[in-house]
Amino acid sequence: MGERYDVIVDFAGVPVGGRVRIRNRLGAGRTRDVMAFRVVRRATDDSRIPGVLSADLPAWQRSDAVRVREFAFRAGRTHGRHGWLIGGLPFDPARSDVVTALGDVEVWRLIADVHHPVHLHLAGFRVLSRGGRPPLPHDAGFKDTVSLRPGESVEIITRFDGYRGRYLFHCHNAEHEDMGMMANLEII
């Protein structure tokens, strides 16, 4: 949820009048059917998928990091009720949970109790490891959301550049977000 992917759909084998559907295998009802394409004519397409999709990814290394932080995304109690916490704390819009300097490179270790797609506002990152092992193929590239599976840890590396100010990082599950699984990141 919330991750961005470039998808190429090849319609060459679909007859005119045919339909190609993209479905969410984990969804049900309205969340199952994502998109449908109807082939209405034959067309020539001489485009090719490049061998390398992006050659300008940041080359940050773990040794570039000025600090390493750890954030646990877990269920807990907030204001006397069930909620979702980051680092044991519910969201407080007045609190800066992370303060970092413009230009700093950091490594963050993210830990999940259940599935949490973690999203950073205004800061792209690369996945360094997943469960202490190399990243998976879908972890490649420049990301702003990473899917944490139940009981999993993921390390990401980012550089906070471009803008000073206060931004959010949070779980992209709407129910978790609504129940306090957000934190403020301040770039000074």
Side-chain angles (χ1 to χ4, degrees):
M1 177 185 299
E3 283 200 76
R4 301 173 217 283
Y5 289 98
D6 291 326
V7 177
I8 298 170
V9 181
D10 183 356
F11 297 103
V14 182
V16 172
R19 190 166 53 176
V20 174
R21 294 181 217 184
I22 297 176
R23 288 196 168 140
N24 174 2
R25 291 182 297 161
L26 301 177
R30 294 175 50 198
T31 65
R32 182 172 169 242
D33 296 321
V34 175
M35 189 177 299
F37 300 92
R38 185 172 305 279
V39 176
V40 297
R41 69 179 180 282
R42 289 272 161 229
T44 303
D45 180 6
D46 62 354
S47 62
R48 298 286 177 256
I49 301 169
V52 175
L53 297 179
S54 180
D56 62 348
L57 293 175
W60 308 314
Q61 301 297 316
R62 190 179 297 274
S63 59
D64 297 330
V66 297
R67 73 191 53 82
V68 175
R69 300 181 194 262
E70 184 171 292
F71 298 100
F73 288 74
R74 301 191 192 286
R77 301 296 291 169
T78 172
H79 310 294
R81 301 179 319 185
H82 171 77
W84 295 95
L85 313 174
I86 299 176
L89 299 172
F91 180 60
D92 179 348
R95 182 184 65 233
S96 290
D97 299 283
V98 173
V99 178
T100 191
L102 186 68
D104 277 0
V105 174
E106 293 191 2
V107 170
W108 286 14
R109 184 169 185 248
L110 311 173
I111 304 164
D113 57 353
V114 298
H115 177 248
H116 297 293
V118 177
H119 173 63
L120 274 68
H121 285 216
L122 208 70
F125 57 84
R126 286 188 12 251
V127 175
L128 288 177
S129 69
R130 186 176 283 278
R133 293 181 293 282
L136 297 173
H138 67 271
D139 292 324
F142 203 49
K143 304 177 76 64
D144 66 3
T145 305
V146 64
S147 182
L148 295 174
R149 296 181 186 109
E152 186 173 54
S153 67
V154 171
E155 284 187 313
I156 64 171
I157 188 168
T158 188
R159 181 171 187 238
F160 298 102
D161 57 5
Y163 303 96
R164 286 181 168 85
R166 183 184 264 184
Y167 307 96
L168 286 173
F169 64 100
H170 58 93
C171 176
H172 242 229
N173 287 333
E175 300 84 6
H176 299 181
E177 195 174 340
D178 289 347
M179 295 172 72
M181 192 167 260
M182 299 188 294
N184 283 311
L185 160 66
E186 188 169 356
I187 303 170
I188 53 174

